[in-house]
Amino acid sequence: MADHLASIYGTEKDKVNCSFYFKIGACRHGDRCSRKHVKPVFSQTVLLSNVYQNPSHDTTCTMTEAQLQEHFDLFYEDIFVELAKYGEIEEMNVCDNVGDHLVGNVYVRYRIEEDAQKAVDALNNRYYAGRPLYAELSPVTDFGEACCRQYENAECTRGGFCNFMHLKLVTREVRKELFEAQKASLKMLGKSSSSSKRSRSPEVKRERRERSRSRSRDSRRRSRRDDDDRSYDRDRRRDRGERDYERY
């Protein structure tokens, strides 16, 4: 029974836990959902709800496609640089849905769970574009399951009200530059930590010398014991030979 419940957990067959919340970290029913929304205690992923305001969702928007993409690239870069202050980012995605539970959502997955928690604690006291930020740990770990495959193939018939993620894509060059800059920054931090290891090298050398002396002392003791054992064996053989000679 336990194996069966574990196998259906977070799926459509699960009648207790909400599969949509498990997959995308949000549900259109919110707190009124008839199924449980199990909020994770630990997670690598942080959800920032309703942060990105897409100008194209405004009916009076007159921006061109190029201007809209530039607007989003600047937003993506701004958010990425800020969130990277809390730890190494593995992936960051922004929803382009128009449903209330997904519109403008930003999902960021950190390499380490502790960094995600640190980001949540700090961001809930921050503002962006004059609006307060709402951050929480998200159960989403596999964005492949959270995203709408039909949308990726330009076949989704639900449009912006789809209950699966429709991701707004950042320009490839911008994304590459951001992750390369993060990699370079982490490499610099790695160099500083290695230099601190070098500063502790005399202590390491002393410990190695002490271990070497200890091993040499032990080997000398074992050598003396072996010599004593061999001497004892020779004496026993000599005594046994003398007794045999007397008997003869």
Side-chain angles (χ1 to χ4, degrees):
M1 183 64 179
D3 292 339
H4 172 69
L5 293 175
S7 66
I8 65 172
Y9 179 79
T11 67
E12 287 78 4
K13 295 180 181 179
D14 191 344
K15 303 301 181 183
V16 178
N17 303 292
C18 178
S19 61
F20 278 104
Y21 181 78
F22 181 75
K23 287 182 179 179
I24 65 175
C27 172
R28 62 191 178 97
H29 299 294
D31 295 334
R32 296 174 298 168
C33 184
S34 60
R35 300 183 183 183
K36 290 183 179 180
H37 293 176
V38 182
K39 296 184 180 295
V41 179
F42 303 101
S43 178
Q44 294 172 255
T45 306
V46 175
L47 165 62
L48 296 171
S49 300
N50 312 128
V51 179
Y52 178 58
Q53 295 180 301
N54 192 339
S56 65
H57 294 168
D58 187 350
T59 56
T60 62
C61 177
T62 58
M63 297 173 67
T64 65
E65 286 296 326
Q67 290 173 331
L68 288 170
Q69 186 63 53
E70 183 181 5
H71 178 273
F72 177 70
D73 288 347
L74 291 172
F75 166 83
Y76 191 97
E77 180 179 358
D78 196 18
I79 291 292
F80 187 98
V81 171
E82 191 62 32
L83 296 180
K85 294 177 181 178
Y86 304 105
E88 181 180 353
I89 295 174
E90 289 187 334
E91 188 172 359
M92 191 178 103
N93 294 306
V94 182
C95 289
D96 201 26
N97 305 63
V98 296
D100 291 340
H101 63 299
L102 286 175
V103 60
N105 284 4
V106 176
Y107 294 83
V108 56
R109 188 177 71 209
Y110 288 94
R111 189 176 68 85
I112 301 175
E113 291 178 346
E114 288 78 3
D115 292 339
Q117 183 62 59
K118 185 167 57 176
V120 168
D121 295 339
L123 293 170
N124 277 316
N125 298 315
R126 302 285 301 277
Y127 285 75
Y128 184 80
R131 299 165 60 235
L133 293 175
Y134 297 99
E136 64 181 40
L137 295 177
S138 173
V140 179
T141 54
D142 185 357
F143 288 96
E145 288 292 323
C147 294
C148 176
R149 295 186 181 90
Q150 293 177 332
Y151 174 75
E152 293 173 352
N153 297 325
E155 298 174 352
C156 183
T157 58
R158 298 184 181 90
F161 289 97
C162 180
N163 285 319
F164 288 94
M165 294 182 189
H166 289 189
L167 299 184
K168 181 78 173 171
L169 300 181
V170 66
T171 304
R172 184 176 299 178
E173 290 76 13
V174 173
R175 178 183 175 85
K176 183 179 179 181
E177 288 177 6
L178 289 171
F179 278 95
E180 285 183 350
Q182 176 181 241
K183 185 178 180 180
S185 177
L186 293 171
K187 189 175 181 180
M188 290 176 62
L189 292 174
K191 287 182 179 179
S192 62
S193 62
S194 64
S195 64
S196 64
K197 290 179 181 178
R198 285 195 295 270
S199 66
R200 293 194 299 268
S201 59
E203 297 179 5
V204 174
K205 290 180 180 178
R206 282 196 296 272
E207 291 177 0
R208 288 179 177 174
R209 285 198 297 269
E210 290 174 1
R211 285 198 296 267
S212 177
R213 292 193 193 102
S214 178
R215 282 195 296 268
S216 63
R217 285 195 298 269
D218 292 340
S219 63
R220 285 196 296 271
R221 291 193 191 101
R222 284 195 298 270
S223 178
R224 283 196 296 270
R225 282 199 301 269
D226 292 340
D227 291 341
D228 292 341
D229 291 340
R230 284 193 292 271
S231 176
Y232 176 73
D233 290 339
R234 284 196 301 272
D235 292 341
R236 290 189 61 187
R237 285 195 297 272
R238 186 172 59 252
D239 293 342
R240 189 182 302 114
E242 291 175 355
R243 286 197 300 269
D244 292 342
Y245 174 76
E246 292 173 357
R247 226 180 5 258
Y248 177 76

